mmCIF file of all heavy atoms in Angstrom:
data_model
loop_
_atom_site.group_PDB
_atom_site.id
_atom_site.type_symbol
_atom_site.label_atom_id
_atom_site.label_comp_id
_atom_site.label_asym_id
_atom_site.label_seq_id
_atom_site.Cartn_x
_atom_site.Cartn_y
_atom_site.Cartn_z
ATOM 1 N N LEU A 24 88.616 -55.380 -5.370
ATOM 2 C CA LEU A 24 87.506 -54.454 -5.433
ATOM 3 C C LEU A 24 87.924 -52.990 -5.444
ATOM 4 O O LEU A 24 87.374 -52.146 -6.130
ATOM 5 C CB LEU A 24 86.564 -54.628 -4.257
ATOM 6 C CG LEU A 24 85.785 -55.911 -4.228
ATOM 7 C CD1 LEU A 24 84.974 -56.078 -2.939
ATOM 8 C CD2 LEU A 24 84.815 -55.965 -5.408
ATOM 9 N N ALA A 25 88.972 -52.624 -4.660
ATOM 10 C CA ALA A 25 89.352 -51.222 -4.458
ATOM 11 C C ALA A 25 89.641 -50.496 -5.755
ATOM 12 O O ALA A 25 89.295 -49.320 -5.835
ATOM 13 C CB ALA A 25 90.534 -51.102 -3.498
ATOM 14 N N PRO A 26 90.280 -51.086 -6.716
ATOM 15 C CA PRO A 26 90.512 -50.336 -7.981
ATOM 16 C C PRO A 26 89.233 -50.068 -8.760
ATOM 17 O O PRO A 26 89.201 -49.195 -9.627
ATOM 18 C CB PRO A 26 91.470 -51.222 -8.796
ATOM 19 C CG PRO A 26 91.943 -52.294 -7.865
ATOM 20 C CD PRO A 26 90.943 -52.354 -6.734
ATOM 21 N N LYS A 27 88.187 -50.819 -8.456
ATOM 22 C CA LYS A 27 86.986 -50.743 -9.309
ATOM 23 C C LYS A 27 85.791 -50.110 -8.552
ATOM 24 O O LYS A 27 84.745 -49.772 -9.175
ATOM 25 C CB LYS A 27 86.552 -52.135 -9.763
ATOM 26 C CG LYS A 27 87.656 -52.820 -10.557
ATOM 27 C CD LYS A 27 87.305 -54.254 -10.784
ATOM 28 C CE LYS A 27 88.445 -55.023 -11.403
ATOM 29 N NZ LYS A 27 88.162 -56.454 -11.533
ATOM 30 N N ALA A 28 85.836 -50.038 -7.278
ATOM 31 C CA ALA A 28 84.672 -49.536 -6.444
ATOM 32 C C ALA A 28 85.188 -48.805 -5.211
ATOM 33 O O ALA A 28 86.248 -49.109 -4.675
ATOM 34 C CB ALA A 28 83.737 -50.640 -6.071
ATOM 35 N N GLU A 29 84.401 -47.890 -4.750
ATOM 36 C CA GLU A 29 84.659 -47.246 -3.466
ATOM 37 C C GLU A 29 84.084 -48.180 -2.395
ATOM 38 O O GLU A 29 82.961 -48.705 -2.501
ATOM 39 C CB GLU A 29 83.937 -45.899 -3.400
ATOM 40 C CG GLU A 29 84.133 -45.149 -2.108
ATOM 41 C CD GLU A 29 83.446 -43.802 -2.077
ATOM 42 O OE1 GLU A 29 82.740 -43.512 -2.962
ATOM 43 O OE2 GLU A 29 83.684 -43.126 -1.034
ATOM 44 N N LEU A 30 84.900 -48.446 -1.372
ATOM 45 C CA LEU A 30 84.496 -49.294 -0.224
ATOM 46 C C LEU A 30 84.181 -48.420 0.935
ATOM 47 O O LEU A 30 85.024 -47.701 1.475
ATOM 48 C CB LEU A 30 85.627 -50.260 0.062
ATOM 49 C CG LEU A 30 86.093 -51.118 -1.052
ATOM 50 C CD1 LEU A 30 87.232 -52.055 -0.678
ATOM 51 C CD2 LEU A 30 84.952 -52.011 -1.657
ATOM 52 N N VAL A 31 82.913 -48.397 1.354
ATOM 53 C CA VAL A 31 82.464 -47.479 2.392
ATOM 54 C C VAL A 31 82.069 -48.269 3.632
ATOM 55 O O VAL A 31 81.202 -49.091 3.618
ATOM 56 C CB VAL A 31 81.286 -46.621 1.914
ATOM 57 C CG1 VAL A 31 80.735 -45.765 3.001
ATOM 58 C CG2 VAL A 31 81.683 -45.837 0.700
ATOM 59 N N ASP A 32 82.733 -48.000 4.728
ATOM 60 C CA ASP A 32 82.466 -48.656 6.010
ATOM 61 C C ASP A 32 81.315 -47.900 6.694
ATOM 62 O O ASP A 32 81.489 -46.747 7.090
ATOM 63 C CB ASP A 32 83.740 -48.619 6.817
ATOM 64 C CG ASP A 32 83.524 -49.279 8.207
ATOM 65 O OD1 ASP A 32 82.389 -49.739 8.561
ATOM 66 O OD2 ASP A 32 84.513 -49.396 8.966
ATOM 67 N N ILE A 33 80.147 -48.531 6.841
ATOM 68 C CA ILE A 33 78.993 -47.840 7.425
ATOM 69 C C ILE A 33 79.174 -47.665 8.903
ATOM 70 O O ILE A 33 78.364 -46.975 9.560
ATOM 71 C CB ILE A 33 77.671 -48.519 7.085
ATOM 72 C CG1 ILE A 33 77.599 -49.929 7.713
ATOM 73 C CG2 ILE A 33 77.486 -48.564 5.592
ATOM 74 C CD1 ILE A 33 76.240 -50.571 7.585
ATOM 75 N N SER A 34 80.137 -48.282 9.516
ATOM 76 C CA SER A 34 80.323 -48.130 10.962
ATOM 77 C C SER A 34 81.213 -46.935 11.305
ATOM 78 O O SER A 34 81.373 -46.658 12.458
ATOM 79 C CB SER A 34 80.908 -49.354 11.623
ATOM 80 O OG SER A 34 82.270 -49.599 11.142
ATOM 81 N N ALA A 35 81.732 -46.267 10.271
ATOM 82 C CA ALA A 35 82.584 -45.094 10.447
ATOM 83 C C ALA A 35 81.715 -44.002 11.130
ATOM 84 O O ALA A 35 80.588 -43.844 10.771
ATOM 85 C CB ALA A 35 83.170 -44.590 9.181
#
Side-chain angles (χ1 to χ4, degrees):
L24 293 172
K27 302 172 187 172
E29 180 180 5
L30 305 176
V31 177
D32 180 357
I33 66 170
S34 67

